[in-house]
Amino acid sequence: MAHKNLKPGKVLLSQGDLYESNINRSPTSYLLNPQSERDMYPEGDTDKNMLLLNLISQETGESVGVVNWFAVHGTSMNNTNTLTSGDNRGYASYLLERHFNGEHGMPGTGPFVGAFASTNLGDVSPNTNGAKCIDTGEDCDGTSSTCNGRCENCIAFGPGTNGDMFESTQIIGNKQYEFAMDLMG
């Protein structure tokens, strides 16, 4: 279907650093990387760069879609979630498409397409409150990712109230959406 709708246009590239949306889920392991690699990220141990391609219709001058890349896993929803979810990236896409296609359309049905893709996300987590021991509330052991020797008790939590995974998904997704809007100008 997309091939049948090809039209002339232009592509605009923009990028910037998005903060408070990702952390390194294994900072102890990160420190084992060569200093030259660690020097690539002077503001921390994760890449904060979001790169955005804005696809502009030559006919209307309007954006018909964006593709952007940001280093964060889609793991705001933890392993207790039994629902189908696009996680934080899906929520960002939903918000961007809703902005351009209107509030009443079903996601994915309008003319504007917002794609939030992954980039160098290795050990990068959206759970910005870090890994905690669910039995004590203390930080997990940084070397083994365990609590009293048990990995089952070490769970990472996002920025949502009391670790609420739905709220965390919305917070991290909303940050990506708002930053993409800023990059679009």
Side-chain angles (χ1 to χ4, degrees):
M1 185 161 143
H3 183 72
K4 293 179 183 178
N5 291 313
L6 287 176
K7 295 180 180 161
K10 62 182 176 180
V11 178
L12 302 178
L13 179 130
S14 56
Q15 62 183 325
D17 289 343
L18 173 58
Y19 296 97
E20 299 178 8
S21 298
N22 64 9
I23 64 167
N24 190 310
R25 65 182 173 186
S26 186
T28 306
S29 296
Y30 178 79
L31 292 174
L32 299 175
N33 288 325
Q35 185 64 46
S36 60
E37 180 175 330
R38 295 192 322 252
D39 289 346
M40 294 170 56
Y41 308 105
E43 296 186 39
D45 53 9
T46 59
D47 188 356
K48 306 293 184 195
N49 184 261
M50 179 183 278
L51 180 89
L52 182 135
L53 298 179
N54 190 355
L55 311 173
I56 307 294
S57 166
Q58 183 174 314
E59 181 182 323
T60 66
E62 301 284 322
S63 179
V64 295
V66 300
V67 181
N68 79 57
W69 293 265
F70 180 63
V72 69
H73 272 98
T75 54
S76 295
M77 303 292 281
N78 66 37
N79 64 354
T80 65
N81 174 46
T82 59
L83 305 172
T84 301
S85 169
D87 212 279
N88 58 65
R89 297 184 176 290
Y91 190 68
S93 177
Y94 163 77
L95 292 174
L96 193 62
E97 289 185 8
R98 185 174 152 186
H99 175 86
F100 285 98
N101 294 330
E103 294 183 18
H104 303 293
M106 291 294 293
T109 62
F112 180 89
V113 176
F116 286 76
S118 298
T119 181
N120 54 328
L121 47 76
D123 277 332
V124 184
S125 171
N127 297 310
T128 55
N129 287 346
K132 306 285 183 204
C133 298
I134 57 172
D135 55 345
T136 65
E138 300 293 319
D139 289 345
C140 297
D141 177 76
T143 305
S144 64
S145 297
T146 61
C147 302
N148 299 319
R150 297 183 55 105
C151 61
E152 299 86 7
N153 291 343
C154 180
I155 297 178
F157 291 97
T161 307
N162 296 321
D164 182 297
M165 65 180 165
F166 295 98
E167 185 181 356
S168 294
T169 298
Q170 291 176 333
I171 290 169
I172 299 300
N174 195 61
K175 286 178 184 260
Q176 291 175 75
Y177 155 71
E178 288 178 353
F179 198 68
M181 288 292 293
D182 288 346
L183 290 176
M184 291 176 74

